[in-house]
Amino acid sequence: MSEAQLVEALTAPHKLQYTYKRSVGPVMGRFFTALRDEGKILGVRREDGSVMCPPKEYDPDTAAAISEMVEVGPGGEVVSWAWVSEPRAKQPCDRPFAYALIKLDGADTPLLHAIDCGREDAIRTGMRVTAKLADERVGHITDIRCFEPEA
Amino acid sequence: MRDVAIVAFAQSPSVRSDTQRNEVEILMPVVAEVREASGIPKGEFDFICSGSSDYLAGQSFAFVAGLDAVGAWPPVSESHVEMDGAWALYEAWVKIQMGYADSALVYGFSKCSLGDLPEVMAMQLDPYYQTPLWPDAVSMAALQARQCLETGAVTAEQMADAVVRSRANAKSNPNAQLSGDVDREKLLAEPTFVSPLHKHDCSPISDGAAAMVLVAGEKARQHCERPAWITGFAHIMEPMDLGVRPLTESRSTAEAARRAGVDAAKLDVAELHGPFSHQEILLEQAIGIGSSTDVNPSGGALAANPMMAAGLIRLGEAAARIHDGSAATALGHATSGPCLQQNLVCAMEGR
């Protein structure tokens, strides 16, 4: 046995996290499937006719079950934004970016996501942005890689 | 409704990082202090309820370590909330209202310095749409602050004034982490941290603990010269998603205050749990607090914010003003979740 083999340590991966698996259900399931397979963003129609994106199974005001899906976006308008000048490793962009609430075309409620526009003075409330999809999509919200200013 | 009073309250100093003690060692002195102050010895509480978070301790069932130290043998009636200790107090109050207990020990504690707190806070969000994007707690608050500023619900000057007030009031609070005389114009001129928030608009990251004792009925007077009688207690939760609730007002705080029977015009003291400066103003607006009310005489969360204890500390600071006779009526408020998602209001009075 060589010396290198003698000092080789036994290692095993350890992740400090809860190993829950989650099922997304009938409404979010359709949202994530459409995003992954067709690159489409869906909202859900509420009882009052307005469209909520991201879609949920229940109306947050009336608790009514809702399921009528509607395609929204991929363009939309910035409702609010926060400028992250020092991104953390897990965050969507590795250069300064904005978290933003984005009201997609056809939706009445805004979606939380990231806007990659390079500089703080390149973003303002009311600005038009559009979704940039990930090349390889797996059915997660990160299948939208980020939003970018509309050309 | 049974008459229930807060008869004792204690808190640890809030510090950025307690390098000498673990969570439980931070907690135990305050538990000992309220046992001593109330005169109720270990083992004689009808109910024990705590607030802490596994996500902050980095291990599952982390609260058991605290309970072991507080004492669970011989068997005790006990519960835990993965929330601020203010909600543990609410559970204890309900237990007493139901007639299952006449006294309760409540505590909340955390050691936030162990991890990257703003990032850990992203784990309290929607696990499908939000957490995978890792929006830290400061960014979430900044989204709300910008809406408040751009709609005129809150002004930059009001935010700076909340910080000035907090730091000034905290000078007389030996447990506060940030205190001193700061100037509004200098604050406004500082560079932004997560725009539009400045660093001073954010509560500090704190290690700390607090404990409290509740006793029902006239017996409370045996444990405290001037008990803080709870006259109303309510908490309301709004949807987590920032897109489906108004961010420029706190509807749940207003409704909780209404259900707790708060008469803002007659409030001597209000201790509000606003972890960000604009939130302190939204809370004042929601409750309708006027100039006759002393707001956050302790300095509030902007001066010290130990997670899982800071809300309980607000209720304790309000009760302390009743205990010492400086207030006849007081309100304690606690918040939980992103951007004031859930709010609790406890109204109290001296008699």
Side-chain angles (χ1 to χ4, degrees):
Chain A
M1 196 174 272
S2 74
E3 197 177 326
Q5 281 171 313
L6 280 171
V7 298
E8 188 182 358
L10 290 172
T11 62
H14 174 71
K15 271 192 175 178
L16 184 61
Q17 66 175 42
Y18 295 109
T19 53
Y20 300 136
K21 281 191 176 168
R22 302 173 188 276
S23 56
V24 286
V27 171
M28 285 189 284
R30 285 171 67 192
F31 173 88
F32 286 117
T33 303
L35 183 58
R36 180 188 64 197
D37 296 347
E38 302 169 65
K40 287 181 179 171
I41 304 171
L42 302 182
V44 65
R45 197 176 296 284
R46 293 165 71 164
E47 277 189 316
D48 64 3
S50 66
V51 172
M52 178 166 61
C53 181
K56 300 276 175 76
E57 272 178 64
Y58 299 95
D59 187 302
D61 289 330
T62 66
I66 44 179
S67 61
E68 186 195 338
M69 307 296 280
V70 182
E71 188 178 348
V72 297
E77 190 175 287
V78 176
V79 172
S80 188
W81 52 280
W83 187 252
V84 183
S85 52
E86 292 176 30
R88 291 172 161 80
K90 291 176 182 167
Q91 292 181 330
C93 302
D94 54 13
R95 61 172 184 165
F97 72 101
Y99 279 113
L101 296 173
I102 300 157
K103 194 151 85 177
L104 294 171
D105 297 338
D108 297 282
T109 64
L111 167 85
L112 173 73
H113 218 288
I115 295 177
D116 186 10
C117 60
R119 297 192 333 267
E120 185 175 353
D121 59 11
I123 185 173
R124 58 178 173 76
T125 302
M127 184 171 82
R128 297 278 310 166
V129 292
T130 193
K132 185 181 177 188
L133 300 183
D135 297 333
E136 282 182 35
R137 298 193 295 272
V138 294
H140 290 171
I141 190 67
T142 45
D143 285 357
I144 302 173
R145 208 185 70 70
C146 63
F147 283 77
E148 290 178 334
E150 215 167 59
Chain B
M1 289 270 264
R2 298 182 76 190
D3 267 347
V4 180
I6 297 167
V7 300
F9 166 66
Q11 64 180 306
S12 72
S14 284
V15 296
R16 176 61 183 83
S17 179
D18 189 327
T19 55
Q20 304 298 315
R21 303 184 296 173
N22 66 27
E23 266 194 344
V24 177
E25 289 167 332
I26 295 170
L27 167 68
M28 287 315 292
V30 299
V31 169
E33 198 178 327
V34 291
R35 278 181 184 143
E36 166 102 25
S38 67
I40 302 177
K42 183 178 173 179
E44 307 247 322
F45 291 97
D46 293 340
F47 184 57
I48 298 171
C49 201
S50 60
S52 66
S53 174
D54 290 358
Y55 286 84
L56 298 171
Q59 58 179 348
S60 53
F61 292 94
F63 75 95
V64 174
L67 184 62
D68 275 344
V70 169
W73 184 264
V76 294
S77 173
E78 171 279 332
S79 184
H80 171 260
V81 294
E82 189 89 3
M83 303 188 76
D84 189 288
W87 275 267
L89 184 77
Y90 185 84
E91 181 176 338
W93 178 78
V94 170
K95 195 97 167 173
I96 292 173
Q97 289 300 333
M98 299 296 288
Y100 294 128
D102 294 326
S103 65
L105 168 66
V106 173
Y107 54 89
F109 61 114
S110 79
K111 193 165 173 175
C112 298
S113 61
L114 294 175
D116 176 358
L117 180 65
E119 181 175 289
V120 172
M121 298 279 281
M123 304 200 51
Q124 74 176 333
L125 304 174
D126 180 313
Y128 313 101
Y129 293 130
Q130 297 179 334
T131 303
L133 300 169
W134 292 96
D136 59 275
V138 179
S139 294
M140 294 292 276
L143 289 171
Q144 181 183 36
R146 186 176 305 280
Q147 277 207 330
C148 288
L149 289 166
E150 291 186 350
T151 60
V154 169
T155 66
E157 288 74 19
Q158 283 178 304
M159 289 170 67
D161 286 344
V163 178
V164 171
R165 176 178 67 188
S166 163
R167 301 278 174 94
N169 287 352
K171 287 195 293 181
S172 55
N173 177 2
N175 297 308
Q177 192 174 333
L178 302 176
S179 63
D181 295 309
V182 289
D183 177 66
R184 178 216 263 192
E185 300 310 319
K186 277 187 188 158
L187 292 180
L188 288 170
E190 277 180 23
T192 56
F193 175 43
V194 176
S195 164
L197 293 176
H198 304 84
K199 232 171 198 162
H200 59 250
D201 291 312
C202 312
S203 53
I205 294 169
S206 316
D207 292 348
M212 198 178 274
V213 173
L214 286 181
V215 173
E218 279 306 302
K219 213 178 151 204
R221 295 189 192 279
Q222 295 170 21
H223 302 282
C224 179
E225 215 166 281
R226 191 175 146 83
W229 297 99
I230 294 174
T231 56
F233 211 162
H235 69 102
I236 312 274
M237 179 148 56
E238 296 182 65
M240 174 179 283
D241 193 338
L242 301 189
V244 298
R245 59 178 159 111
L247 298 179
T248 57
E249 59 181 313
S250 182
R251 291 188 305 185
S252 51
T253 301
E255 178 60 14
R258 191 188 68 76
R259 292 191 195 181
V262 172
D263 182 351
K266 290 182 185 158
L267 267 183
D268 293 332
V269 168
E271 279 282 344
L272 308 176
H273 185 197
F276 297 89
S277 62
H278 65 281
Q279 294 175 349
E280 212 170 276
I281 298 151
L282 294 181
L283 294 169
E284 280 188 56
Q285 292 170 348
I287 299 167
I289 285 173
S291 55
S292 63
T293 304
D294 192 4
V295 177
N296 287 352
S298 69
L302 293 173
N305 190 37
M307 297 297 301
M308 323 317 281
L312 186 64
I313 290 172
R314 302 281 72 72
L315 274 56
E317 290 281 5
R321 298 306 187 284
I322 306 270
H323 291 163
D324 69 14
S326 61
T329 58
L331 177 153
H333 161 270
T335 196
S336 182
C339 301
L340 301 176
Q341 182 195 0
Q342 185 172 9
N343 292 283
L344 172 151
V345 170
C346 181
M348 48 193 106
E349 67 178 24
R351 286 175 199 154

